[in-house]
Amino acid sequence: MAKTKTPAKPKTGKQKLAAAAPSAPNIDIGIKEGDRKKIADGLARFQADAFTLYLKTHNFHWNVTGSMFNSLHTMFETQYTEQWAALDDVAERIRALGFNAPGSYREFAALTSIAEEPGLSDSADWREMVRQLVAANEAVCRTARHVLDVADDADDAPTEDLMTQRLQTHEKYAWMLRSLLQ
């Protein structure tokens, strides 16, 4: 059996990146490789939180019942539709930084900060759905703030802008949902 030759170690950061992603050309967008990695890692965690929230919101849209059915069914649909579109922007930013975006349930489950809660029974109160969505939106906000800080330290304006937009959206969703419980 023939031995395979071990490739030589790269000599520069650009070569090291190319070795890590051999099919991609070197990336030189003005952000150091280590900083891009930290940002991409944070964005992956953000995406996992955002996807978990998306699933929860869509689930509750399907399963809400009771006196608030019409209002919440419509509100949840508006929110999950917007969330779905935003997931693509986050994944594309991770790719622009030179890293793979998470895209499987297993990856999302490993990366998310949102606790998995058991499914709700047929008689679940809409208030519990709203409570869970408030908590999940707030978790997404906390993750976005962390990524925003990392991006700010690396002078990554596009990621800062993206996280600022997501913060505005999820803070608004948390406020709107929280107001239903007051």
Side-chain angles (χ1 to χ4, degrees), residues 89-147:
D89 291 337
V90 176
E92 288 177 356
R93 184 64 193 149
I94 294 168
R95 295 296 298 142
L97 292 168
F99 298 91
N100 289 333
S104 71
Y105 291 126
R106 183 177 302 220
E107 288 173 300
F108 291 143
L111 293 168
T112 189
S113 69
I114 299 172
E116 179 66 24
E117 299 185 53
L120 301 176
S121 69
D122 289 339
S123 61
D125 187 67
W126 62 265
R127 288 171 192 80
E128 178 59 16
M129 292 178 175
V130 170
R131 184 203 64 76
Q132 286 187 31
L133 292 178
V134 169
N137 272 284
E138 289 174 346
V140 169
C141 288
R142 290 188 299 274
T143 303
R145 285 187 195 292
H146 172 74
V147 178

Side-chain angles (χ1 to χ4, degrees), residues 40-163:
D41 287 348
L43 285 169
R45 291 185 184 286
F46 177 85
Q47 186 169 359
D49 281 355
F51 190 82
T52 302
L53 172 60
Y54 160 79
L55 285 176
K56 191 176 286 267
T57 306
H58 208 149
N59 173 20
F60 293 164
H61 164 78
W62 290 329
N63 293 301
V64 67
T65 59
S67 63
M68 293 292 290
F69 169 79
N70 195 46
S71 298
L72 290 177
H73 186 75
T74 301
M75 176 188 258
F76 294 164
E77 182 175 21
T78 300
Q79 290 182 5
Y80 79 69
T81 301
E82 187 280 332
Q83 291 165 5
W84 179 254
L87 286 167
D88 198 54
D89 291 337
V90 176
E92 288 177 356
R93 184 64 193 149
I94 294 168
R95 295 296 298 142
L97 292 168
F99 298 91
N100 289 333
S104 71
Y105 291 126
R106 183 177 302 220
E107 288 173 300
F108 291 143
L111 293 168
T112 189
S113 69
I114 299 172
E116 179 66 24
E117 299 185 53
L120 301 176
S121 69
D122 289 339
S123 61
D125 187 67
W126 62 265
R127 288 171 192 80
E128 178 59 16
M129 292 178 175
V130 170
R131 184 203 64 76
Q132 286 187 31
L133 292 178
V134 169
N137 272 284
E138 289 174 346
V140 169
C141 288
R142 290 188 299 274
T143 303
R145 285 187 195 292
H146 172 74
V147 178
L148 186 58
D149 288 343
V150 173
D152 182 46
D153 291 344
D155 198 26
D156 179 1
T159 300
E160 289 178 80
D161 182 54
L162 179 60
M163 290 297 97

Side-chain angles (χ1 to χ4, degrees), residues 8-17 19:
K9 283 193 169 187
K11 295 178 183 172
T12 69
K14 288 181 184 177
Q15 289 172 335
K16 184 176 181 182
L17 181 60

